[in-house]
């Protein structure tokens, strides 16, 4: 199989680089300066076992590949806010032997949140969910780091909305030869909702800095508790913290890498790169949506969603709001919630 990584940033670059290092054919899809760097100098992947350069085909869209192959696997790793644009580009792409990518090829959605795969299922017939546990950083154009050790990450795979199939098992086997643990599960959404609860802290980190002390952790627990209350009200199952901890153990411990500091997670990185967008609508905003549907107030997630979007739109520095200020606003929001 050939892997086409649609959005070869931090997560996509790490997955694509590790697959290439294990001998698989990989195509990287990127834009702007990152695409130019990948095209001209290859992908530089910094990991605990060394730094590797992979000279892979780099494209900006399907037109540069001509017809896609029947054995292509599409791995969607763009942020959720960029999903529709990617689907519009890749869904109609012709496949050798007839038909389109949307009709014939498997699409694996390796994204935070749960909305990307729902959007994908409107276009693609064969959609797989991926629960991504992969600490990685976009260092600079052409350079990505992934500090997990001994494994680079853990990627639960399954058909969306449920079930498993032979394609998921084949992809999992390839990933497990490339420094990943890749359990194939019939209930991948249960793991994704558990990850969503963890990702509710992304906006907190992006706005007020790392969740590194008791005060920040206390605020995060309040935000997460809202999320749990909403999922419980909606009847949505999610893996427990204990179940996740037992499965991961020390398989993906974060190791500091020279020349590749990790300032924060995906939302932090969006602000630090000044992209102008952030994924809060599909993380904290997912909880806000479900809360409104099921009559559960979500004032803290509403606040973080609004602040994260303001920071992105105004291109503010990540972590620039004092935690005391954020906590005060959170207290006010909670006190005035209906």
């Amino acid at each position: 199989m050939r892997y086409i990584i649609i959005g070869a940033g931090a997560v996509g670059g790490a997955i694509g680089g590790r697959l290439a290092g294990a001998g698989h054919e990989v195509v990287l899809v990127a834009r702007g300066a990152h695409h130019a760097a990948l095209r001209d100098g290859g992908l530089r992947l910094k990991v605990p076992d060394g730094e590797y350069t992979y000279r892979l085909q780099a494209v900006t869209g399907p037109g540069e590949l001509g017809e896609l192959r029947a054995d292509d696997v599409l791995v969607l790793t763009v942020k959720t806010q960029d999903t529709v644009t990617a689907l519009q580009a890749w869904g109609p792409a012709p496949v050798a032997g007839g038909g389109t990518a949307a009709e014939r090829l498997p699409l694996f959605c390796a994204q935070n949140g749960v909305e990307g795969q729902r959007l994908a299922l409107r276009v693609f017939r064969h959609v797989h969910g991926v629960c991504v546990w992969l600490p990685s950083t976009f260092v600079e154009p052409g350079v990505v780091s992934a500090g997990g050790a001994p494994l680079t990450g853990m990627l639960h795979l399954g058909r969306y909305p449920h079930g498993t199939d032979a394609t998921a098992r084949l992809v999992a086997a390839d990933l497990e030869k490339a420094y990943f643990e890749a359990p194939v599960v019939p209930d991948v959404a249960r793991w994704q909702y558990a990850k969503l609860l963890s990702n509710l802290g992304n906006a907190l980190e992006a706005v007020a800095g790392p969740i590194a002390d008791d005060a920040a952790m206390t605020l995060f627990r309040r935000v997460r508790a809202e999320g749990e209350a909403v999922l419980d009200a909606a009847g949505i199952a999610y893996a427990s913290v204990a179940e996740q901890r037992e499965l991961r153990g020390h398989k993906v411990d974060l190791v500091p890498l020279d020349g590749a500091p990790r300032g924060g997670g995906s939302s932090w990185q969006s602000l630090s790169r000044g992209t102008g967008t952030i994924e809060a609508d599909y993380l904290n905003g997912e909880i806000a949506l479900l809360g409104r549907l099921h009559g559960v107030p979500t004032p803290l997630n509403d606040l973080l969603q609004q602040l994260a979007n303001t920071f992105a739109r105004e291109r503010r520095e990540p972590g620039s709001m004092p935690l005391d200020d954020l906590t005060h606003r959170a207290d006010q929001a909670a006190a005035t919630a209906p």
Side-chain angles (χ1 to χ4, degrees), residues 42-291:
L43 170 68
R44 288 171 55 201
L45 178 63
K46 296 173 180 282
V47 286
D49 54 291
E51 180 177 325
Y52 302 91
T53 298
Y54 300 105
R55 296 193 173 274
L56 307 171
Q57 186 174 8
V59 302
T60 59
E64 297 167 54
L65 294 173
E67 282 189 325
L68 300 181
R69 296 179 354 196
D71 67 344
D72 281 338
V73 173
L74 307 182
V75 183
L76 186 66
T77 53
V78 300
K79 297 283 175 47
T80 304
Q81 62 266 30
D82 298 319
T83 296
V84 170
T85 298
L87 295 172
Q88 290 172 341
W90 288 88
V95 179
T100 66
E103 294 167 334
R104 295 184 56 193
L105 299 184
L107 177 72
F108 284 76
C109 297
Q111 302 168 289
N112 283 335
V114 295
E115 184 65 16
Q117 58 209 9
R118 293 185 70 253
L119 295 170
L121 201 60
R122 297 174 186 270
V123 179
F124 277 76
R125 294 180 181 176
H126 309 291
V127 176
H128 295 75
V130 184
C131 179
V132 180
W133 192 270
L134 200 179
S136 54
T137 301
F138 179 95
V139 179
E140 61 184 61
V143 184
V144 168
S145 70
L151 298 178
T152 298
M154 183 174 289
L155 306 172
H156 285 74
L157 311 177
R159 282 296 296 258
Y160 182 77
H162 49 73
T164 64
D165 62 11
T167 300
R169 290 187 287 273
L170 287 171
V171 171
D174 287 349
L175 289 168
E176 291 192 341
K177 296 174 184 175
Y179 290 88
F180 293 99
E181 184 161 319
V184 178
V185 295
D187 56 350
V188 68
R190 191 172 73 92
W191 293 93
Q192 291 173 314
Y193 277 105
K195 177 74 182 326
L196 171 65
L197 290 173
S198 297
N199 286 145
L200 297 181
N202 286 23
L204 194 163
E205 176 189 63
V207 169
I211 304 173
D213 58 25
D214 290 344
M217 182 55 69
T218 296
L219 181 55
F220 170 65
R221 290 194 183 106
R222 293 169 61 192
V223 173
R224 181 188 170 99
E226 273 189 5
E228 291 176 346
V230 164
L231 296 186
D232 292 342
I236 295 173
Y238 52 93
S240 69
V241 172
E243 186 178 1
Q244 295 176 80
R245 185 182 298 119
E246 181 179 0
L247 182 64
R248 286 198 304 270
H250 290 285
K251 297 173 183 175
V252 190
D253 286 343
L254 195 59
V255 176
L257 299 175
D258 291 340
R262 180 174 168 80
S266 56
S267 297
W268 171 285
Q269 292 179 50
S270 291
L271 293 183
S272 67
R273 293 173 61 190
T275 62
T277 65
I278 199 165
E279 59 191 341
D281 286 348
Y282 305 100
L283 301 177
N284 308 89
E286 179 71 24
I287 296 302
L289 169 63
L290 289 171

Side-chain angles (χ1 to χ4, degrees), residues 314-338:
E314 298 179 358
R315 290 176 166 77
R316 297 189 194 177
E317 287 294 317
S320 56
M321 176 176 285
L323 181 63
D324 288 346
D325 187 1
L326 177 58
T327 301
H328 177 67
R329 294 190 185 203
D331 291 341
Q332 286 184 317
T336 58

Side-chain angles (χ1 to χ4, degrees), residues 17-43:
R18 281 307 205 184
L19 284 169
H24 298 287
E25 187 175 0
V26 175
V27 176
L28 303 178
V29 183
R31 303 177 295 185
H34 188 44
H35 168 258
L38 294 172
R39 179 196 62 209
D40 298 340
L43 170 68

